[in-house]
Amino acid sequence: MIKMHLTKAEIMVVDDTPEHIELLASILHDENFKVRIATNGHTALELLKQHHPDLILLDVYMPEMDGFELCKNIKNNPALGHIPIIFITASNDEESIKKGFELKAQDYVVKPFNVSELLARIHTHLKLKFQTQALQEAYQELDQFCHSVSHDLKAPLQTIGKLIEHFISDYGDNLDNEKNELIDHISKKSTEVVNMIDRLLEFSRMSKIEMNKEKVDLTQVFHKIYQELIRLQPNRNVVFHVKPLPIIDGDPILLRLLILNILSNALKFTCYQEVGKVEVSCSEETSAYIIATKDNGKGFDMTYVNQLFDVFQRLHSQEEFEGSGVGLSIIQRIVKRHGGKAWITGKINEGATLFFSIPKNNP
């Protein structure tokens, strides 16, 4: 597919020297590329309003609008910024090369250029462009699939749940215990699948949520979310302790979801303990904070630690601990969005500790 795209690729040459234009056009035509010519920056911008090429070869020094200004105009335009730009510059002009990269140009070739090198660079950046485009299309298809799953699977499952409710209401008194248990099992399983679909959709949207960073007091957030969760389990006996945590730069909504998943896991896996214990602490490295949430719950075999952050991976049965197997994946994705990473340690029947890092100077 990418090879087919390469044979149909269109390249814009922006240069004010006729000899250079003629040479470049000849080389590109020999490679079966489509070629558009602009002899100055203003003409190039007008052409770009009408049609977007797959790559631009841009001379640095031109009258009125030089290559740097044109590059800046292109890269600052959301509709054009994805087009790879290769600067053409003199071999001893290191400042131009540096400035070109600062303006987000993808590459450069020096004059007088080697034809093989020029073509190699063009092919490389066209392949990267088409691979990126294919990946974006795949993400769009995945997004559409997720919405289809949400509509086509959730609706009938929710209908089944309602039908079961009506059935129990009308005939429940006439059924023996075995039949009632069977209906209850069907109801729980349909609800479980609906919840899994919701979590999968939540996970798929995670990378698209726009980041709105502000100062977040982690100590307050941990305490607030714990209180919300423990109210739903009033009969639990849990010792919860939060040591002083930093105020960080982060998205408050994503960080709330992060901590909600962390504490939900800790409370879930300590549910069979006479006294559940959850402790949150912080240590510092040179450039990052390390937040640790330790519990005295079920724990796990470290042999399987590398599987835990995969979507729908579970080390315990649904009957033993409810859940969708998506929580740790969401934790990892949120932490990565903040420039950090998450990891976990544990031992069977001795609990687990979930760690995540957050850069101190979070960009």
Side-chain angles (χ1 to χ4, degrees):
M1 180 66 71
I2 290 176
K3 286 184 178 179
M4 182 181 73
H5 282 312
L6 287 176
T7 60
K8 296 181 178 180
E10 182 177 299
I11 297 175
M12 175 182 283
V13 176
V14 187
D15 198 315
D16 67 326
T17 306
E19 294 81 3
H20 293 163
I21 293 173
E22 184 177 354
L23 176 59
L24 285 169
S26 175
I27 294 169
L28 297 174
H29 280 134
D30 287 345
E31 292 292 311
N32 295 318
F33 291 124
K34 297 177 183 179
V35 182
R36 282 178 178 261
I37 305 295
T39 56
N40 58 67
H42 296 293
T43 302
L45 289 175
E46 288 301 316
L47 288 174
L48 288 169
K49 290 178 182 178
Q50 304 167 24
H51 189 75
H52 297 171
D54 296 303
L55 183 141
I56 298 172
L57 292 176
L58 179 55
D59 189 26
V60 170
Y61 297 109
M62 296 182 295
E64 297 182 26
M65 181 187 296
D66 64 18
F68 299 127
E69 187 178 351
L70 177 57
C71 179
K72 186 176 180 180
N73 273 285
I74 293 171
K75 292 300 181 181
N76 287 340
N77 186 331
L80 304 175
H82 67 284
I83 302 173
I85 294 176
I86 299 178
F87 268 113
I88 301 174
T89 185
S91 59
N92 60 350
D93 194 355
E94 293 183 6
E95 279 302 312
S96 292
I97 295 170
K98 180 181 177 182
K99 189 172 181 180
F101 283 126
E102 289 174 350
L103 292 171
K104 301 180 182 179
Q106 274 65 35
D107 210 338
Y108 71 93
V109 291
V110 296
K111 295 184 290 189
F113 49 77
N114 178 285
V115 174
S116 297
E117 179 186 358
L118 171 67
L119 291 175
R121 291 177 187 269
I122 289 173
H123 279 278
T124 295
H125 290 291
L126 285 174
K127 285 179 182 178
L128 286 172
K129 177 184 181 294
F130 292 133
Q131 285 171 347
T132 300
Q133 183 178 320
L135 186 60
Q136 289 171 341
E137 290 172 356
Y139 275 127
Q140 289 176 354
E141 289 178 4
L142 178 61
D143 187 52
Q144 292 171 356
F145 169 76
C146 286
H147 283 292
S148 175
V149 166
S150 176
H151 181 271
D152 296 341
L153 290 183
K154 280 183 66 178
L157 283 167
Q158 289 170 334
T159 300
I160 290 172
K162 290 295 182 184
L163 290 173
I164 291 172
E165 289 178 11
H166 291 310
F167 184 85
I168 293 173
S169 176
D170 293 341
Y171 304 105
D173 294 338
N174 300 323
L175 301 175
D176 58 32
N177 289 338
E178 184 178 348
K179 291 184 175 66
N180 275 313
E181 285 180 8
L182 179 60
I183 291 171
D184 183 59
H185 183 68
I186 294 170
S187 178
K188 286 180 178 178
K189 284 299 177 183
S190 64
T191 301
E192 178 185 323
V193 175
V194 170
N195 289 336
M196 287 181 68
I197 292 170
D198 285 336
R199 296 289 271 175
L200 179 59
L201 290 169
E202 184 180 340
F203 178 74
S204 71
R205 289 193 295 263
M206 194 60 57
S207 60
K208 299 178 182 179
I209 298 174
E210 185 178 349
M211 297 274 282
N212 295 304
K213 291 186 179 179
E214 56 186 66
K215 296 293 182 183
V216 177
D217 187 331
L218 289 181
T219 305
Q220 290 184 3
V221 179
F222 267 98
H223 277 296
K224 184 176 181 180
I225 290 178
Y226 172 76
Q227 292 302 323
E228 292 174 1
L229 291 173
I230 204 65
R231 285 193 199 102
L232 302 175
Q233 306 175 54
N235 298 323
R236 290 288 305 275
N237 185 3
V238 179
V239 176
F240 180 66
H241 181 58
V242 181
K243 295 182 177 180
L245 303 178
I247 296 173
I248 64 169
D249 291 318
D251 184 289
I253 295 175
L254 289 180
L255 289 174
R256 175 182 166 78
L257 182 58
L258 168 71
I259 295 168
L260 178 64
N261 276 280
I262 291 173
L263 291 182
S264 294
N265 268 357
L267 290 174
K268 175 171 67 176
F269 291 113
T270 58
C271 67
Y272 296 120
Q273 299 296 329
E274 186 175 345
V275 179
K277 296 180 181 179
V278 180
E279 180 179 275
V280 185
S281 60
C282 175
S283 59
E284 288 191 49
E285 294 183 345
T286 304
S287 59
Y289 297 108
I290 309 296
I291 312 299
T293 302
K294 182 179 180 181
D295 66 60
N296 68 332
K298 182 69 174 179
F300 63 93
D301 185 344
M302 285 291 289
T303 304
Y304 305 102
V305 69
N306 292 329
Q307 302 175 20
L308 288 176
F309 289 98
D310 294 338
V311 180
F312 296 138
Q313 285 294 330
R314 296 172 53 86
L315 299 185
H316 306 285
S317 68
Q318 182 72 20
E319 289 72 22
E320 187 177 12
F321 295 102
E322 292 184 357
S324 60
V326 179
L328 287 176
S329 301
I330 291 174
I331 288 169
Q332 185 71 278
R333 182 161 289 193
I334 294 173
V335 172
K336 285 184 177 179
R337 290 290 306 272
H338 285 81
K341 63 178 180 178
W343 65 100
I344 190 169
T345 62
K347 193 171 183 180
I348 296 175
N349 296 324
E350 294 186 21
T353 304
L354 190 144
F355 302 86
F356 69 90
S357 65
I358 292 289
K360 291 181 178 178
N361 299 316
N362 199 358

